[in-house]
Amino acid sequence: MAARGHVQDPNDRRLRPIYDYLDNGNNKMAIQQADKLLKKHKDLHCAKVLKAIGLQRTGKQDEAFALAQEVATLEPTDDNSLQALTILYREMHRPELVTKLYEAAVRKVPSSEEYHSHLFMAYARVGEYKKMQQAGMTLYKIVPKNPYYFWSVMSLVMQAISAQDKKLSQTMFLPLAERMVEKMVKEEKIEAEAEVQLYYMILERLGKYVEALEVVRGQLGEKLTSELQSRENKCMSLYKQLERWPECNALSCKLLLKNPDDWQFYMSYFDSLFHLIDQGWEPPSEGEHCSEGEVRSSVAQAIAFVEERLAVEEAKETRPLRGPFLARLELIRRLRARGCPEEQELGEPLELMFQYFIKFGDKPCCISDLKIYLDLLTTDHHFINRLMETVPLSEPQDDGVALPGDTRALQRHLCVAQLSRALGLHHALDTTGKLDLIRQLKSHYRHGLQFGKSCLKTELQFSDMYCLLASHVYIDLWAETGDETMLWQCLGLLEEGLSHSSSNAQFKLLLILLFCRMGAFEPVVDLYSSLDAKHVQHDTIGFLLTRYAESLGQFAAASQSCNFSLRFFHSNQKDTSEYIIQAYKYGAFEKIPEFIAFRSRLNRSLHFAQVRTERMLLDLFLEADLSSSLEDNVKSMGLCPEEDDIPWTDMRDNRDLTVLTSWDPADRQLSEEQRSFSLQEELLWLKVRFLTLRLVGTLAVLSHPPTPRNAEKAAENGVVAKPDILRPLLDQLNTTLQNGAQFLERGVQYPFLGPSPTRLAHALASGSCHCQVLAFQLAAYVQELDAAALEETTEVQTQISNSFKSLLIQLKEILNKCKGDLLEVKEGQCKTQPTLLENLVFFVETVCVVHWVSCFCAGVLRPLKASLQKRKKKKKEPISMVVFSGFQEFTAGLQSLFSEVLDHIKGQETSLTALKLGELTLEEVMPAGVRIVGFKKTQLLRISLESDVLT
Amino acid sequence: MLGSKMTTLRAFTCDDLFKFNNINLDPLTETYGIPFYLQYLAHWPEYFIVAEAPGGELMGYIMGKAEGSVAREEWHGHVTALSVAPEFRRLGLAAKLMELLEEISERKGGFFVDLFVRVSNQVAVNMYKQLGYSVYRTVIEYYSASNGEPDEDAYDMRKALSRDTEKKSIIPLPHPVRPEDIE
């Protein structure tokens, strides 16, 4: 708690202990102290608010709110109360109440600069742009300070940005903002850089680029000094907008002369060059080419310009800059794309790339630089051979591998290996060739470790990337031959790598991926936590954990990883609002729309929607026993099954799908199309999960009211039947499953190092989706039975009885798909069968759904049975109720199914523990003990499914 | 060593937070909470610069601020974070980013630039020395323990800017200080 008003106030002295308790997290003492104080000083409102903060922080939200409102209705005007209420409302996530608070305060103290400015910020927090505009102007009238005026202007810009009607933005809000700034310009009242920046923003958004250019290049532009090259960058952007290619051309050249390494200006230079050529631009016969000076508008001039930059670098004593050398390749590519024969004047790409390698081959980035231009090569082998000849290596050792003598030679050799892979030469090798390649890479890897003996734990080894390359070749071999030994070897190699280079994130990431693909989640938890991924990284790489935790049966870990991510997303809303306010205070106007877009990007994150849904499903699965009611669960989650609150059409895929390093050839890299397929697939699966969740939630809503379970009576009492939400959701689920099946027919494949496929394919193959549909269908029949008069239920009763039977059969079928050894050891070879484990998880999830449906059925059937027995006593006509016996058979069937699955799991555990892993004779000894334990602890299923729900 | 950056240098934006894993998955680079980044972006946007490679990968970034009293000649630029992805090291990129931060601090009329570095991070300490920085003082247990490692001391390193003509700001303190004593 920061601000505490004035020290001389005796109330401050009285309140101080409470503040201190709150600051130290001692909420109970804070409450006690506040109570004590309030006994003596009844009217010390702030003490009440501080007590409310204590209550809020100890989970007594309702009490806290009531107490706060007591004070708020008095419309306090003392600093302490206002600030404490602001803090409280923020913690309650009710920022809109802060606006009410200060609205009242400024009514009472209309001349207070401070309260008006708090009011402005309170509006900013909730995005009330129109009121901000007014509050800003009111402030300016009270105290004519420029920032207040420009807060008001910025609020107009925000109204323009947020307006649904873009025409309104262009014809009203922005022009008004422009006029407001113009007024200040005319009166020569512009003071700060931020004000010019805002003027520029307005003109840019209005498309008034000419005017914007005048501002930037004129006297006002002189204020743009904080950011480096601020004026130049703005001019460049405006020239492009205005298609003033001569200026763009001249300015690019000027900036390149100053810094021949700034890549963006080569790009703008070449862009402008070809635009000018296409336009047939001719320099004026006399005078300056344009306002930015000399234009170099012919291919010959461009070639000369690049050659001059190169000559400067070549003549240097010190190490040359890379920019001009790569710019030459870029120019060749662009000329070639246009079919310009002048391309040849710049030289042969192979030769130029060879020279590039000679100059920069000992830099780790050489591969990133050259891989962009590999498509210019025509003979890959020849290129690689020429490079290899230049790498200084020893005479071949006993194993026939020639090795580098120092780290520079090592880096060069490594670069050649990376380039070979990028050119597809690794992929072209046959199995023997690949195995030999792996042997060589390992040899280089192990040999290279000697150069890094003095490396700190936080540093990487010089030869680490050989290890990663060899791992990639192992994965190629596995993908090609299906020989799982390759993956085991790969695990061993990566563990070896990690033992020498404990902070290599790439090793960890690949190990995580491999363990997950092989069905062993246990080691993944530690590996992931050693990456120390935090905050925004939950959004970008959290999927590595959440994709597999649940599907491999680690429910607790899954729940925990969802929680980590959720905590991050939930704090986002509050956090960003505070910094939007800061941006106003510091006049960082251009950051305000950026922060708002950022907030929206996080709120619309795919991962957010996924962890939210999965977290709730997990709760329902983990709570699937008789001790808790579904209603309580659904209520405590705040799940509203009628509502679809996922922004399906505007979801942001924030996953970092290239976080795993890959040197694969361009055509094997993750393509944009694959990215969009992956997102589509994720959305389909999310929809399946979300609908499942809502359907389970619906059961809670339906079984909620304990009204008389008799159709006639209900009708008499005028109770209207609940709107049928179950069926429409069920229809949606069916449609989504169909769409899912259609999607899978396309057979989309992703690169191994790219996104993993979702659980969709396995879910459909396991039969669990259809079994769950059947269960919900059953619930719908039972609901029908509930609504109909008992006499007219023969048909629906038959449907229910049949559903009971089919459910058992389908569950049994899923269980059969779980049988087999998770880890088979035969003839010294290991074979994992993760699908069995995944099917087991699908089985468990389905059983949970069936459990909730059964509870629902029991809830409906129990009173029905009771009323039937009453009828019997009254000796009315007996009505045959096949559903009751059907349900009893069903629960008995479930019971025996559960004993079967529990036996199965016990059997799995026994056989995994009994595996004599020492018998494994891998071709090479597995170093660092591959973490096979991961397979042992498939500690699933603590589900105490008491199936005797009716008795 | 200064030389081949070959880079696009531009202002860091919020969207870069989604792309900086190759830089931040490094044991010595801290990933801060969103508020921390937003605070810098809101208050000192010009001090937050990212370098982008021609292939679009983020190579590294620097994050800093201006603070201190002008009257007491303590107004200065501060380097809060500086990190370069492994594959873009040994190009002098960190030096280039430091140069930019110094230039911005010069323009703001700072007396010096300072930074904190783990005493164990010898690579970084040497680099800063090469760039003209010297140890002004040691801050005891500035870095709190994590992952079972003990607390660690920091060097507060400084380089005088042109406004500090007599280089008064960098005269080393004779004794180490505690974190609570620094402003």
Side-chain angles (χ1 to χ4, degrees), chain B residues 1-3 23-24 30-31 36 38-39 53 61 79 85 89 97 100 109 116 127-128 136-137 142 148 150 175 177:
Chain B
M1 110 175 218
L2 281 176
I23 304 170
N24 274 39
E30 179 73 15
T31 299
F36 198 70
L38 295 191
Q39 184 197 347
Y61 60 83
V79 184
R89 289 182 193 159
L97 291 168
L100 297 179
F116 293 98
M127 179 193 78
Y128 292 127
Y136 167 69
R137 58 187 169 181
Y142 178 77
H175 303 296
V177 296

Side-chain angles (χ1 to χ4, degrees), chain A residues 157-405:
Chain A
V157 175
M158 288 314 298
Q159 288 178 70
I161 290 174
S162 62
Q164 298 289 329
D165 181 359
K166 289 297 148 201
K167 227 177 121 194
L168 209 60
S169 310
Q170 292 297 318
T171 56
M172 197 175 90
F173 296 127
L174 289 171
L176 191 53
E178 185 194 7
R179 278 202 298 279
M180 281 181 73
V181 182
E182 275 171 357
K183 184 168 177 283
M184 297 295 266
V185 175
K186 274 189 202 124
E187 294 170 14
E188 295 189 344
K189 282 186 186 162
I190 297 283
E191 288 165 2
E193 179 175 3
E195 296 157 16
V196 182
Q197 189 81 36
L198 181 54
Y199 193 18
Y200 171 79
M201 255 175 90
I202 295 166
L203 293 171
E204 204 191 17
R205 284 181 183 270
L206 274 169
K208 292 193 165 183
Y209 302 120
V210 180
E211 291 83 347
L213 200 55
E214 279 166 22
V215 170
V216 176
R217 299 197 57 167
Q219 208 181 349
L220 286 178
E222 284 167 22
K223 289 193 187 291
L224 300 170
T225 53
S226 290
E227 204 186 310
L228 298 174
Q229 281 189 9
S230 174
R231 290 174 93 177
E232 289 88 343
N233 288 337
K234 286 189 171 65
C235 284
M236 189 69 88
S237 141
L238 292 168
Y239 292 144
K240 283 181 194 166
Q241 289 289 353
L242 289 165
E243 301 191 359
R244 289 201 186 169
W245 303 120
E247 281 86 352
C248 180
N249 183 299
L251 180 58
S252 301
C253 289
K254 249 197 312 205
L255 291 169
L256 284 171
L257 286 171
K258 219 166 84 187
N259 179 5
D261 223 20
D262 206 333
W263 191 243
Q264 56 191 326
F265 300 124
Y266 284 110
M267 293 300 162
S268 53
Y269 174 46
F270 295 149
D271 287 345
S272 69
L273 172 72
F274 294 116
H275 280 296
L276 288 170
I277 292 174
D278 291 343
Q279 288 172 358
W281 186 83
E282 291 286 338
S285 47
E286 54 186 282
E288 281 236 287
H289 285 179
C290 73
S291 59
E292 291 286 356
E294 188 188 350
V295 178
R296 293 169 174 85
S297 63
S298 69
V299 171
Q301 281 170 313
I303 292 175
F305 182 76
V306 172
E307 299 280 8
E308 281 160 30
R309 302 287 74 67
L310 283 162
V312 174
E313 296 310 315
E314 297 277 16
K316 267 189 190 165
E317 297 271 316
T318 54
R319 186 187 279 280
L321 297 173
R322 282 147 58 238
F325 294 90
L326 276 191
R328 177 161 60 183
L329 290 167
E330 177 70 27
L331 188 54
I332 291 178
R333 148 153 337 135
R334 292 189 182 218
L335 290 169
R336 189 177 283 189
R338 293 171 60 95
C340 291
E342 292 98 321
E343 167 217 319
Q344 284 154 10
E345 292 171 30
L346 284 158
E348 167 59 41
L350 188 144
E351 185 59 32
L352 299 178
M353 287 164 86
F354 173 76
Q355 284 170 16
Y356 192 89
F357 176 79
I358 298 296
K359 287 200 168 61
F360 305 107
D362 58 352
K363 298 284 177 198
C365 69
C366 189
I367 172 69
S368 330
D369 292 345
L370 286 184
K371 77 174 179 214
I372 318 171
Y373 298 104
L374 290 180
D375 60 327
L376 295 177
L377 291 175
T378 41
T379 53
D380 304 342
H381 277 287
H382 178 53
F383 176 61
I384 291 298
N385 290 341
R386 277 202 61 194
L387 297 190
M388 197 54 108
E389 281 164 16
T390 69
V391 180
L393 296 176
S394 70
E395 284 302 302
Q397 311 289 297
D398 295 344
D399 59 359
V401 181
L403 297 164

Side-chain angles (χ1 to χ4, degrees), chain A residues 13 34 36 292 311 328 355 407 411 423 443 497 507 603 657 664 776 867 934:
Chain A
R13 185 175 41 78
K36 245 204 291 189
E292 291 286 356
R328 177 161 60 183
Q355 284 170 16
T407 55
Q411 191 56 51
L423 285 165
S443 194
F507 290 169
N603 283 338
L657 296 176
D664 285 356
F776 291 123
S867 83

